[in-house]
Amino acid sequence: MIARLLAWLSDPARWAGADGIPTRLLEHLVYSVVVVLLAAAVAVPVGLLIGHTGRGKWVVTSANAARAIPSLGLLFAVALVLGPRLSSDLAFVLPSLLVLVVLAMPPLLSGAYSGVEAVDPAARDAAYGIGMTGRQVLTGVELPCALPLVLSGVRSATLQVVATATIASFISLGGLGRYLVDGLASGDYAQMAGGALLVATLALLLDGILALVQRRVVSPGLRLDAHPARSRRSRRSADATDTTSTAADTAGVAPASAPAASTPSSSPAERSTP
């Protein structure tokens, strides 16, 4: 099977034409980027607003419950409803994009909401204390603090869209999923394996790119892995200080860092005695 897979990937005919790997890869990438951008434009502001106001939490709960809906069944249902009402290629493209947007919204919504909800209340109170408005608190304090979880939601949604876009090929959408559908129809398992490998590779590359973006835009103070050597030195210094203080307290003497108490040379009674 591996030999057949390598032969399929190394075939020059697979790298040219409308059905070539570069064309299918570009189609899959365009679909995924468009879907994530559309879903983020709706879900991220809604999640931030819910986390900021504390109202409408049922929306997040309902969105998470919607993850249990079968993707393929939802795709066929939307295609059957919208397909006859549309003409040209929109009858295939629009239902697929709509379903993918719906499936990408729950992780984006949850990430934005959880990020704002996890903000330290002391930071929020301090912002209000210096006279910042609600919008300024959201954009200047809560959003930067919530950015790690927001970007984690984007990464999760991207992986889900890249993987789920393959099933959209069942209703004649392009992309890498065509290799899976066409290979299944013709019994060409090397083509199916090649398509699956390309989808997995694309998902890993996009996740790696988003991980680099997250590392660049998130403040170092919000990253747990920022300056690990410095963190280890700080922990060792703190542990050594605690150990020294504990040992000093146990022995009944003052720690070395504390100033020694001055002891009078003689008691007041002795000084008053002639």
Side-chain angles (χ1 to χ4, degrees), residues 76-97:
F76 280 126
V78 175
L80 291 175
V81 172
L82 295 181
R85 295 172 172 79
L86 300 173
S87 59
S88 69
D89 292 338
L90 286 178
F92 306 106
V93 176
L94 188 59
S96 301
L97 294 182

Side-chain angles (χ1 to χ4, degrees), residues 252-265:
V253 298
S257 59
S262 58
T263 304
S265 58

Side-chain angles (χ1 to χ4, degrees), residues 56-139:
K57 296 182 180 180
W58 61 271
V59 177
V60 182
T61 304
S62 302
N64 288 329
R67 297 187 183 188
I69 300 177
S71 304
L72 189 58
L74 181 62
L75 177 64
F76 280 126
V78 175
L80 291 175
V81 172
L82 295 181
R85 295 172 172 79
L86 300 173
S87 59
S88 69
D89 292 338
L90 286 178
F92 306 106
V93 176
L94 188 59
S96 301
L97 294 182
L98 181 60
V99 171
L100 291 175
V101 167
V102 172
L103 295 176
M105 290 180 66
L108 293 167
L109 186 63
S110 299
Y113 164 73
S114 301
V116 174
E117 189 183 39
V119 174
D120 189 357
R124 189 181 295 112
D125 294 340
Y128 282 117
I130 62 175
M132 296 179 68
T133 63
R135 179 178 297 182
Q136 291 173 335
V137 171
L138 176 61
T139 58

Side-chain angles (χ1 to χ4, degrees), residues 161-209:
V161 168
V162 171
T164 311
T166 57
I167 67 173
S169 299
F170 281 99
I171 60 172
S172 300
L173 189 70
L176 296 175
R178 294 304 314 170
Y179 295 134
L180 300 176
V181 175
D182 296 341
L184 180 62
S186 61
D188 189 354
Y189 299 108
Q191 182 177 357
M192 293 180 62
L197 180 61
L198 291 172
V199 172
T201 303
L202 177 61
L204 292 175
L205 287 176
L206 290 178
D207 187 63
I209 293 173

